Amino acid sequence: MNRTLRAARLATFAFFALNGFVMGMWIVHIPAVESRTGISHAVLGWLLLLLGGGAFAGMQMCGRLTDRLGARRVVPAGAVLCSAAVVAPALAADAPGLGVALFLLGFGNGCLDVSMNTHAVQVERAYGRPVMSAFHAVFSLGGVLAALVGARLITWGWDLGATLTAVAATGLLVTLVATPALLGPPRGAGKDTGTTGEDSATDAAAAAAGTTGEGARPAGRRRTPRRVWVLAVLALLLMLCEGVANDWSVLHLEDVLGAPAATAAFAYGAFATAMTVGRLLTDRVAARTGPVFVVRYGAAAAGAGLTVAALSPWVVPALVGWAVFGLGLSGCVPQFFSAAGHTDADAAGAHVSRVAGLGYLGMLAGPAVIGPLTHLVPLNLALLLPVALCAVAAAAAGVLRPDPRPGAGAAVRPASDGPAVGTSTA
């Protein structure tokens, strides 16, 4: 493996870690921002929807922009925007100001999210084997680092504005160091010829120029394949499950099983730790067995784990259930990002934005879906809804099989499925 590709992989790790760190530092300081602006929990809940709306808007805009300009240009821009925007909540003095700040932060987060995932697909294509899950694991580790650093700075009494300014400066420094190692356009890229020929060299030039074989239309305007929409819906379902764990795991142990607050906190800790470890291991599993295996049995294991957690009358089995839930989910969503990006190399950014956008909406929908259900059934029974969603994802995992048709796009495959990388000639 040449040094350029290894450096590109390390740079991608850096941007994933940066994204997790920046957003983690915002989360750690939410109580301080809430106190500074004098808003209630209810108002904060509504304002957080603007964070999600900004992220969705950023994802959809930067998907096509990444296809047109290349990830090497858009990733640094997204990183700078996300890093700078984290200071905005510290400057807000009231609810309207905080709303604008959160939209900007969400927009920057969405731009960085889609562009770095698109670059990760490019790196994975060059490696010829699965590497996507490790990037997502590093994102989680960035969040863990933010929790540790943020807690220490709060203990030291650092000013909110000074802390988030330091975070922004760190982001700019990481961007300056990591950007030169990002991969550029394919070597065969040339200028737009206005048409596409039947030979692969001409096609590569057209792809780099943002055209397709369909009358040389820009890749960003191509119709999104049905397969990508299915991947996006599956991402929505499983990220909704992840959102449920983020917001309800601790309350489940505390309210349903009567665990002390300190013990209940281990529910989310078990889930998050298992998810991070699982993502560090998933690439090797996917290389041996393929993405269908990872999602089918991962989602099934997640459903079984949450069933144990929801129905157990004891704390310890419930904790184990939450851990198995995280381990099962850990490798699933990265497979959707990877498959979407490999469906069509010319429109990888747009396709990744569909999966990321709907997935992010699913993450936000988790607490919104379970909350109303608790008015009808106990919380532990409401948690059986994510179990059903895991079952749907397991049943639909076959969509991840690489399309064997010529021109279906590049696909990273396990050795048992044929060549390591299948490239498009269309």
Side-chain angles (χ1 to χ4, degrees):
M1 198 62 63
N2 62 56
R3 292 183 178 180
T4 299
L5 189 52
R6 283 197 296 267
R9 189 181 185 190
L10 289 175
T12 310
F13 277 132
F15 283 110
F16 271 81
L18 173 63
N19 192 200
F21 180 73
V22 169
M23 297 309 296
M25 289 296 285
W26 147 246
I27 291 171
V28 167
H29 289 90
I30 285 178
V33 171
E34 186 181 44
S35 175
R36 177 187 177 90
T37 54
I39 61 176
S40 65
H41 294 330
V43 172
L44 176 64
W46 286 108
L47 292 179
L48 288 175
L49 293 177
L50 291 174
L51 179 72
F56 186 81
M59 289 173 182
Q60 301 314 304
M61 190 193 82
C62 277
R64 293 186 176 184
L65 196 62
T66 302
D67 291 331
R68 288 181 177 274
L69 302 180
R72 188 172 188 174
R73 294 182 178 179
V74 181
V75 170
V80 169
L81 180 58
C82 185
S83 299
V86 78
V87 181
L91 303 178
D94 51 25
L98 182 58
V100 173
L102 291 181
F103 185 87
L104 291 175
L105 178 58
F107 187 85
N109 177 49
C111 291
L112 178 56
D113 189 300
V114 164
S115 59
M116 71 185 186
N117 271 288
T118 303
H119 187 265
V121 169
Q122 190 177 350
V123 171
E124 186 175 62
R125 185 179 293 113
Y127 264 82
R129 61 181 173 83
V131 297
M132 178 67 77
S133 291
F135 294 133
H136 286 251
V138 170
F139 173 87
S140 299
L141 293 176
V144 172
L145 179 62
L148 296 175
V149 173
R152 175 55 62 187
L153 295 182
I154 291 172
T155 301
W156 288 345
W158 273 44
D159 175 72
L160 174 64
T163 298
L164 296 184
T165 299
V167 172
T170 301
L172 296 179
L173 179 61
V174 170
T175 301
L176 286 174
V177 172
T179 295
L182 296 177
L183 295 178
R187 285 187 175 181
K191 293 185 178 181
D192 188 2
T193 61
T195 60
T196 57
E198 295 182 1
D199 63 288
S200 59
T202 305
D203 288 335
T211 60
T212 73
E214 302 173 9
R217 288 184 300 166
R221 296 180 183 175
R222 294 179 68 177
R223 187 173 183 179
T224 302
R226 182 174 62 180
R227 178 174 184 259
V228 172
W229 285 118
V230 174
L231 293 170
V233 170
L234 292 177
L236 183 151
L237 297 182
L238 292 189
M239 289 184 75
L240 186 151
C241 294
E242 187 176 340
V244 168
N246 292 343
D247 293 283
W248 295 99
S249 57
V250 175
L251 287 173
H252 165 245
L253 257 70
E254 192 169 347
D255 293 352
V256 176
L257 300 182
T263 302
F266 282 108
Y268 176 71
F271 170 83
T273 301
M275 174 164 278
T276 302
V277 172
R279 284 178 171 172
L280 289 171
L281 300 175
T282 294
D283 287 330
R284 293 185 179 183
V285 176
R288 288 176 174 268
T289 63
V292 175
F293 180 94
V294 170
V295 172
R296 178 162 293 157
Y297 293 99
L306 187 56
T307 300
V308 171
L311 301 183
S312 173
W314 301 291
V315 170
V316 172
L319 288 173
V320 172
W322 281 111
V324 173
F325 185 51
L327 186 64
L329 288 180
S330 62
C332 294
V333 172
Q335 307 309 311
F336 302 144
F337 280 79
S338 180
H342 290 302
T343 297
D344 183 347
D346 298 340
H351 292 168
V352 169
S353 74
R354 303 292 185 268
V355 175
L358 281 189
Y360 196 81
L361 290 180
M363 182 79 76
L364 295 175
V369 169
I370 297 299
L373 278 180
T374 60
H375 294 294
L376 304 175
V377 296
L379 173 58
N380 62 321
L381 296 183
L383 293 177
L384 295 180
L385 174 62
V387 172
L389 299 184
C390 288
V392 171
V399 72
L400 286 161
R401 289 191 181 92
D403 194 334
R405 295 174 301 169
V412 175
R413 306 184 185 192
S416 59
D417 286 344
V421 179
T423 52
S424 171
T425 57

